[in-house]
């Protein structure tokens, strides 16, 4: 018991704080933007099946503060069928994806209430970055390898530098009179996986300077496919480490929001198990449709707005795609719950780098499309510097606002670089 209390104190939480198990940091982060629905109207319906349907509609569609974006979903489809300008389609679809990404997180959490923390963790590992994966597969199906690489790289960079940096900065300002601490072991494991991912991106990039260009391209492709399988195996090992052997590293302490000795309201599922799966399938299908719209119109939006293709795909798309999750991370940093903020930013970056990226390489291999891990020099160096800077900032297990400010400035530098750096739309590193 004493060691448990010491662990709580080490993480910056007191012994009287409520410990919640089974909910991942990203689920807790996304829950910061949710709101309770008023069940009065649905409960007044006599028919049981109709009442359940109305409750589900209210919970899924209106159970978030982002429900104001709900009209963008039908408007996106309307804009496509009635021939609106492609920049309008791109904007509406991207805003709709912001809402849908948060709803996927919500539905995954609802299902985890019935399956338990282990299966819930596996579901989160599968759907945690569903938006990025769906956009990547959509880009792959349309042969836009450059967009695939930029969107995935942008997701890693935004999580490591922008989300984490803003969280540390805001948390530091809100807690100037107290030292912020976090579970260093969790950060170390994620940083180690990210360094492995950087290692696997750097060597394919360097191969292009090793010999004959024609032969090197084929060697780079074969090398990338081989190490992509190793990256997937390492991510499976990480899941085993996180969900079974060392679960205590990743269990989160959530401060009670209730004053005094009042009981904390237990979190319960708001929709049924089968309903959760049905809604998850429907939301994922809509996400896939809107991702097709985003991928198909991003080039026209780039030309219309006078912004470089690389800036739109590497900066704008990743930021809006997970805006809800990122906002929740910052909210918890304000409340001095850095373990949740780190779990969101590092966990998402690790999942994209070690699962989504190699998964896309393997899927492209199956589809007969050449996609490797060579992200070009500037992109690879940006990734390496971001991982090293983040690992260095988190090495001592404490935080203050200057660390966050430095990470934000690093992200701004990268953003300016790709704002100025004009990449041809049809340029890819693997074909």
């Amino acid at each position: 018991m004493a060691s448990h209390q010491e662990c709580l104190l080490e993480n910056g939480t007191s012994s009287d704080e409520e410990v919640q198990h089974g909910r991942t940091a990203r689920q807790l982060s996304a829950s910061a933007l949710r709101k309770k629905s008023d069940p009065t109207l649905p409960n007044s319906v006599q028919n049981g099946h109709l009442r359940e349907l109305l409750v589900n509609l209210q919970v899924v569609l209106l159970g978030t503060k982002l429900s104001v974006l709900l009209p963008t979903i039908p408007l996106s489809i309307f804009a496509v069928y009635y021939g609106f300008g492609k920049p309008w389609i791109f904007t509406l679809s991207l805003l709709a994806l912001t809402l849908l990404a948060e709803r996927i997180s919500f539905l995954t959490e609802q299902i985890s209430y019935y399956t338990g923390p282990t299966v819930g963790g596996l579901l989160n590992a599968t759907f945690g970055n569903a938006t990025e994966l769906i956009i990547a597969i959509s880009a792959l199906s349309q042969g836009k390898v450059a967009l695939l690489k930029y969107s995935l790289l942008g997701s890693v960079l935004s999580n490591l530098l922008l989300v984490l940096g803003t969280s540390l900065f805001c948390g530091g300002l809100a807690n100037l009179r107290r030292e912020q601490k976090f579970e260093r072991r969790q950060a170390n494991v994620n940083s180690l996986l990210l360094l492995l991912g950087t290692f696997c991106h750097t060597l394919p990039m360097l191969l292009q300077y090793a010999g004959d260009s024609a032969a090197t391209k084929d060697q780079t492709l074969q090398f990338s496919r081989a190490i992509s399988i190793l990256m997937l195996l390492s991510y499976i090992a990480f899941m085993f480490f996180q969900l079974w052997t060392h679960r205590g590293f990743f269990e989160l302490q959530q401060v009670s929001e209730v004053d005094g000795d009042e009981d904390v309201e237990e979190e319960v599922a708001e929709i049924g198990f089968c309903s959760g799966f049905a809604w998850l399938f429907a939301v994922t299908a809509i996400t896939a449709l809107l991702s097709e719209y985003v991928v198909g119109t991003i080039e026209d939006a780039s030309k219309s707005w006078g912004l470089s293709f690389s800036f739109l795909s590497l900066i704008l798309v990743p930021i809006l795609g997970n805006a809800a999750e990122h906002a929740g991370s910052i909210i918890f940093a304000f409340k001095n719950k850095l373990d949740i903020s780190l779990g969101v930013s590092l966990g998402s970056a690790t999942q994209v780098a070690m699962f989504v990226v190699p998964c896309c390489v393997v899927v492209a291999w199956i589809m007969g499309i050449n996609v490797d891990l060579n992200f070009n020099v500037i992109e690879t160096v940006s990734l390496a510097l971001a991982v090293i800077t983040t690992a260095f900032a988190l090495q001592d297990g404490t935080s203050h606002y200057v660390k966050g400010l430095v990470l934000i400035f690093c992200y701004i530098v990268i953003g300016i670089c790709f704002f100025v750096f004009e990449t041809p739309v049809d340029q890819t590193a693997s074909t």
Side-chain angles (χ1 to χ4, degrees), residues 46-362:
Q46 298 300 320
N47 186 283
H49 294 293
L50 180 59
R51 181 171 61 250
E52 182 181 358
L53 176 61
L54 292 176
V55 170
N56 286 344
L57 286 171
Q58 188 175 46
V59 169
V60 175
L61 300 182
L62 303 177
T64 173
K65 297 175 184 177
L66 294 176
S67 57
V68 294
L69 296 177
L70 188 61
T72 60
I73 298 176
L75 284 175
S76 301
I77 301 174
F78 180 85
V80 170
Y81 281 96
Y82 284 89
F84 281 32
K86 290 188 176 180
W88 279 103
I89 298 174
F90 173 79
T91 303
L92 291 170
S93 301
L94 196 55
L95 290 174
L97 287 178
T98 302
L99 169 63
L100 293 173
E102 191 277 334
R103 292 290 83 187
I104 288 176
S105 175
F106 166 74
L107 292 168
T108 305
E109 179 183 349
Q110 294 298 300
I111 296 172
S112 70
Y113 284 121
Y114 299 96
T115 60
T118 300
V119 178
L122 291 174
L123 282 172
N124 183 70
T126 305
F127 289 95
N129 286 92
T131 305
E132 288 92 338
L133 181 59
I134 292 172
I135 291 177
I137 297 299
S138 177
L140 188 61
S141 65
Q142 298 183 35
K144 298 181 179 180
V145 179
L147 174 58
L148 180 151
K149 292 184 175 182
Y150 273 127
S151 62
L152 295 181
L153 175 63
S155 179
V156 176
L157 293 178
S158 67
N159 276 288
L160 288 181
L161 300 179
L162 180 63
V163 180
L164 181 59
T166 308
S167 298
L168 297 183
F169 178 71
C170 294
L173 290 181
N175 299 273
L176 281 174
R177 299 184 181 275
R178 56 192 299 188
E179 184 179 37
Q180 289 191 289
K181 295 183 179 181
F182 53 85
E183 175 54 71
R184 185 168 55 186
R185 295 175 298 180
Q186 177 187 165
N188 287 342
V189 173
N190 279 284
S191 297
L192 189 61
L193 264 292
L194 288 169
L195 286 170
L196 173 61
T198 303
F199 192 87
C200 292
H201 283 287
T202 303
L203 289 181
M205 184 268 294
L206 294 175
L207 272 181
Q208 63 180 316
Y209 303 105
D212 178 69
S213 58
T216 302
K217 281 188 177 181
D218 183 65
Q219 293 168 357
T220 301
L221 180 62
Q222 300 304 322
F223 179 52
S224 297
R225 289 171 174 173
I227 61 178
S228 291
I229 296 175
L230 293 178
M231 291 170 73
L232 289 173
L233 291 175
S234 68
Y235 187 74
I236 293 173
F238 173 66
M239 286 291 99
F240 187 79
F241 179 88
Q242 179 178 353
L243 299 175
W244 281 282
T245 62
H246 291 72
R247 182 183 294 177
F249 283 17
F250 300 89
E251 288 180 338
L252 301 166
Q253 286 72 43
Q254 183 178 19
V255 182
S256 170
E257 301 291 341
V258 183
D259 295 328
D261 296 325
E262 299 179 16
D263 294 332
V264 179
E265 182 181 354
E266 184 180 358
E267 294 284 347
V268 295
E270 298 182 55
I271 59 177
F273 179 71
C274 294
S275 298
F277 267 110
W279 277 106
L280 183 61
F281 176 80
V283 172
T284 303
I286 297 173
T287 302
L289 176 64
L290 296 183
S291 297
E292 291 279 345
Y293 296 164
V294 169
V295 172
T297 57
I298 188 172
E299 298 171 16
D300 294 275
S302 172
K303 297 175 182 177
S304 176
W305 296 341
L307 297 174
S308 68
F309 170 79
S310 56
F311 179 83
L312 273 186
S313 52
L314 189 139
I315 302 295
L316 186 61
V317 172
I319 289 177
L320 290 180
N322 276 321
E325 188 178 81
H326 298 170
S329 173
I330 297 169
I331 290 173
F332 278 108
F334 269 115
K335 299 178 181 180
N336 198 25
K337 303 176 188 178
L338 282 187
D339 284 330
I340 297 177
S341 298
L342 264 68
V344 172
S345 55
L346 294 181
S348 185
T350 302
Q351 188 176 69
V352 173
M354 301 304 295
F355 174 71
V356 179
V357 171
C359 185
C360 288
V361 174
V362 173

Side-chain angles (χ1 to χ4, degrees), residues 25-44:
R26 293 159 72 180
Q27 290 170 342
L28 287 170
S29 175
S31 68
L33 292 180
R34 292 173 192 159
K35 62 182 182 181
K36 291 290 184 180
S37 302
D38 184 6
T40 304
L41 182 59
N43 288 341
S44 63

